[in-house]
Amino acid sequence: MCHFSLILCRHYLGRAYKIFLSRAGKVDNKNIILTPDHIKELMVRLARLSVDDVVLDTCAGSGGFLMEAMETMIALAKGNQETITKIKEKQLIGFEIDSVLFALACSNMFLHGDGRTNLLYRSSLLDETQGGIVNNSDKELLEYIRGMKPTRVIINPPYENNNPIKFTIQALNYLEPGGKLVIIMPTPTLTHNQGGLTEKVLSIAKLEYVIKMPNKLFSEQKRTVNTSIFGFTKTPHIQSDDVLFYNLDDDGFVSIQHKGRIDKNGTWPEIEDTIFDAISNSKDIPGVCQKKKIYKDGVLNCAGVQKRRNSNYEMVKVSTLFHITKGTLASESNVEGDYPFVTAGEEWKTHTEYALDTEAIVYAVSASGSLGRSHYVNGKFIASNLCLVLTSKHDPKYPIDLKFYNCYFASIRKQIVSDLADGTSKLTISPDMFKDYYIDYIPYKEQQAFVKTKLKDFLTLQEKYKKAQEQLSQDIAALSD
């Protein structure tokens, strides 16, 4: 077979392979979540590869990152066959413990003209006892991988059982000083592990950027996951370091029947260039990305210290201001009655009994469509078990107006959901993570002034709008009289 025919054959086999992978990604088993091609390419681009880099994927899956990295480095080699051979034989390393995915990765390598990648059939987590084909002791394996001097790690780890933070730490242990880790994982991963593992990560590596992904990114695979791309450099993070937070609300892809998510309007190349430029040059773009610090007064806040208001406002945990309990009533247990039944939805229901008689904020944490919605209530009521009930601690140091903080939570709803929502099928907010979330403490006089002016004006307009709606309905009904 001539060289051109071989290339053409590999091209069509490669296309068929991608179609197979797109179907395989929909199989609802093994918690497999494949990285969409455009995000895979973005992550490899963010790694800023050179022809001399050694690329490691500690959970290689089907080998997509390694092959994308190989193609990038081969292009940079500009036809130098000696360099290309070295790239294929010595500069690509992968771990995969799933036998099916390992076989797919081997096939992927073959279809890309590479059969010599150092792909290992075992877990990369050296402190785990899972069996594997490689018989080296953990110490010997660590020395072997380090001896190959990995300078880049690009990974999409499994999301269950807090695996993302484990893979982050292990990847950094393999990586050369000054090397880069690009990882896509659940957005709350670092926040969830504050007070231990996250601090360990930051003692090894500097967090350079966080790129929030669209929640629909994995919808083709029937997954709803709140994910972000995290970029680390292996040098300790110091408290004065800035982190660039980029919010990719929309990647331009739309779902088309029988085709999946596609870049129908051809907007992704420009979006990708904007992301790459912002990350490379650490740019602030209003409404899109901003530099924040993740430490304030020595306190770690992995969601980033907000700059919405006066930077002199004290940042405190939600649990500093509120007693927090869980609602008690399941929706299916509801019986219409005389007392408000405050649910996650916009409209309240009623119930025959009440559980509380107090002033409170009811905050939705387990209803995907209503996640982060808050309600102010004062009197006798019962709350949904999909919600948390927040009542004042009446701390003289932190007096609060619940009407004000209900408005406050509504104003940052999108941010809290972005920072804390987790899950691979249904998004929820962990009550413990919500309790430890940092918010502004606004001075009490300013809270009161807001309620007396801004909130009062809003409620007046809201009442006028309600009456206008009622009048409109009456006018329409009158037409048929």
Side-chain angles (χ1 to χ4, degrees):
M1 183 181 291
C2 71
H3 181 65
F4 175 77
S5 297
L6 183 60
I7 292 174
L8 192 63
C9 178
R10 283 175 176 159
H11 169 74
Y12 284 110
L13 282 172
R15 288 183 62 185
Y17 179 78
K18 283 188 175 182
I19 292 171
F20 168 74
L21 281 182
S22 71
R23 301 294 184 268
K26 296 179 181 178
V27 178
D28 190 20
N29 64 8
K30 300 179 183 291
N31 288 311
I32 296 170
I33 301 181
L34 299 175
T35 312
D37 283 348
H38 67 298
I39 300 302
K40 175 186 66 181
E41 292 162 7
L42 171 63
M43 291 173 66
V44 171
R45 187 177 178 187
L46 289 168
R48 301 179 69 93
L49 298 178
S50 73
V51 290
D52 298 317
D53 278 311
V54 177
V55 181
L56 168 64
D57 186 344
T58 56
C59 38
S62 61
F65 285 130
L66 291 176
M67 296 303 99
E68 184 69 28
M70 183 186 75
E71 290 180 351
T72 299
M73 291 191 289
I74 287 176
L76 293 171
K78 297 180 179 179
N80 186 314
Q81 289 303 314
E82 184 178 347
T83 301
I84 291 172
T85 298
K86 183 183 174 187
I87 289 168
K88 290 182 176 182
E89 294 186 359
K90 298 183 178 180
Q91 293 175 225
L92 302 165
I93 315 163
F95 286 89
E96 181 50 56
I97 195 170
D98 183 277
S99 60
V100 174
L101 290 177
F102 181 80
L104 290 175
C106 292
S107 301
N108 200 358
M109 289 189 299
F110 170 76
L111 293 172
H112 283 77
D114 168 41
R116 296 292 300 278
T117 293
N118 296 277
L119 190 60
L120 306 177
Y121 177 34
R122 62 151 290 159
S123 171
S124 63
L125 300 178
L126 298 184
D127 59 347
E128 302 221 325
T129 57
Q130 297 155 306
I133 297 301
V134 176
N135 294 317
N136 307 64
S137 70
D138 284 351
K139 182 179 178 181
E140 290 171 340
L141 180 58
L142 179 61
E143 290 175 352
Y144 169 72
I145 299 298
R146 283 181 173 170
M148 298 187 72
K149 300 186 181 300
T151 55
R152 300 289 187 271
V153 180
I154 310 169
I155 55 176
N156 178 9
Y159 297 161
E160 71 280 2
N161 301 325
N162 207 28
N163 272 317
I165 197 72
K166 298 176 186 176
F167 275 90
T168 299
I169 293 171
Q170 188 65 71
L172 292 170
N173 284 333
Y174 287 124
L175 198 58
E176 286 285 283
K180 294 185 180 297
L181 166 63
V182 182
I183 176 173
I184 181 170
M185 58 185 179
T187 301
T189 298
L190 297 183
T191 304
H192 179 70
N193 288 283
Q194 283 179 197
L197 295 177
T198 295
E199 284 80 356
K200 183 175 181 179
V201 168
L202 296 174
S203 72
I204 303 171
K206 176 184 176 183
L207 179 60
E208 302 276 4
Y209 56 84
V210 180
I211 307 172
K212 173 69 174 64
M213 295 285 101
N215 284 344
K216 293 182 179 180
L217 185 65
F218 300 107
S219 61
E220 187 181 358
Q221 300 175 52
K222 295 181 173 57
R223 305 291 203 279
T224 301
V225 194
N226 175 19
T227 56
S228 292
I229 297 172
F230 294 77
F232 295 92
T233 298
K234 191 171 180 179
T235 186
H237 192 107
I238 60 177
Q239 294 191 10
S240 60
D241 284 335
D242 283 324
V243 180
L244 187 68
F245 286 80
Y246 193 109
N247 187 16
L248 182 62
D249 265 339
D250 184 6
D251 59 1
F253 280 62
V254 295
S255 294
I256 303 295
Q257 191 173 15
H258 306 307
K259 293 184 179 180
R261 293 187 80 240
I262 64 172
D263 185 18
K264 180 181 178 181
N265 299 311
T267 57
W268 173 248
E270 183 178 351
I271 293 172
E272 181 184 340
D273 287 343
T274 300
I275 296 171
F276 185 74
D277 179 54
I279 298 300
S280 298
N281 297 295
S282 195
K283 289 184 175 180
D284 270 315
I285 304 175
V288 177
C289 61
Q290 68 173 186
K291 287 179 283 189
K292 305 177 189 176
K293 299 188 188 304
I294 59 174
Y295 284 92
K296 184 176 176 64
D297 300 326
V299 178
L300 178 61
N301 175 15
C302 287
V305 176
Q306 307 300 316
K307 296 181 179 179
R308 296 182 305 276
R309 302 179 173 88
N310 189 330
S311 61
N312 292 324
Y313 287 147
E314 183 180 358
M315 301 292 291
V316 298
K317 291 183 179 181
V318 172
S319 59
T320 300
L321 304 182
F322 301 96
H323 289 297
I324 302 173
T325 58
K326 190 174 181 182
T328 56
L329 185 65
S331 294
E332 58 269 22
S333 302
N334 184 49
V335 179
E336 290 189 12
D338 297 327
Y339 300 103
F341 173 30
V342 186
T343 68
E346 189 172 355
E347 299 294 329
W348 296 1
K349 300 179 181 179
T350 60
H351 192 62
T352 54
E353 298 178 357
Y354 68 91
L356 296 165
D357 185 1
T358 187
E359 183 183 25
I361 294 171
V362 177
Y363 192 86
V365 293
S366 297
S368 294
S370 302
L371 207 60
R373 177 177 282 125
S374 62
H375 297 285
Y376 170 80
V377 58
N378 192 1
K380 297 175 180 178
F381 70 96
I382 192 167
S384 166
N385 61 359
L386 302 178
C387 301
L388 300 177
V389 179
L390 283 60
T391 55
S392 174
K393 282 191 168 182
H394 300 292
D395 184 344
K397 184 179 178 182
Y398 298 110
I400 59 173
D401 187 303
L402 287 169
K403 290 182 179 178
F404 170 82
Y405 269 98
N406 181 54
C407 295
Y408 177 94
F409 282 123
S411 74
I412 64 169
R413 176 183 175 183
K414 186 175 180 180
Q415 185 65 49
I416 294 179
V417 172
S418 174
D419 290 340
L420 300 184
D422 200 4
T424 56
S425 57
K426 176 185 176 183
L427 293 180
T428 61
I429 294 175
S430 160
D432 288 337
M433 290 176 66
F434 179 72
K435 291 175 185 178
D436 289 339
Y437 192 75
Y438 281 88
I439 60 174
D440 297 297
Y441 175 70
I442 309 298
Y444 188 56
K445 288 184 178 179
E446 294 184 36
Q447 297 179 44
Q448 290 180 309
F450 180 92
V451 171
K452 289 179 181 178
T453 57
K454 305 293 186 182
L455 181 57
K456 183 179 179 180
D457 291 344
F458 170 77
L459 292 175
T460 299
L461 289 171
Q462 191 178 53
E463 184 63 26
K464 287 182 178 179
Y465 175 71
K466 182 179 179 181
K467 289 181 178 180
Q469 275 189 315
E470 292 173 353
Q471 184 61 52
L472 188 64
S473 297
Q474 291 173 10
D475 291 343
I476 290 175
L479 293 175
S480 59
D481 290 344

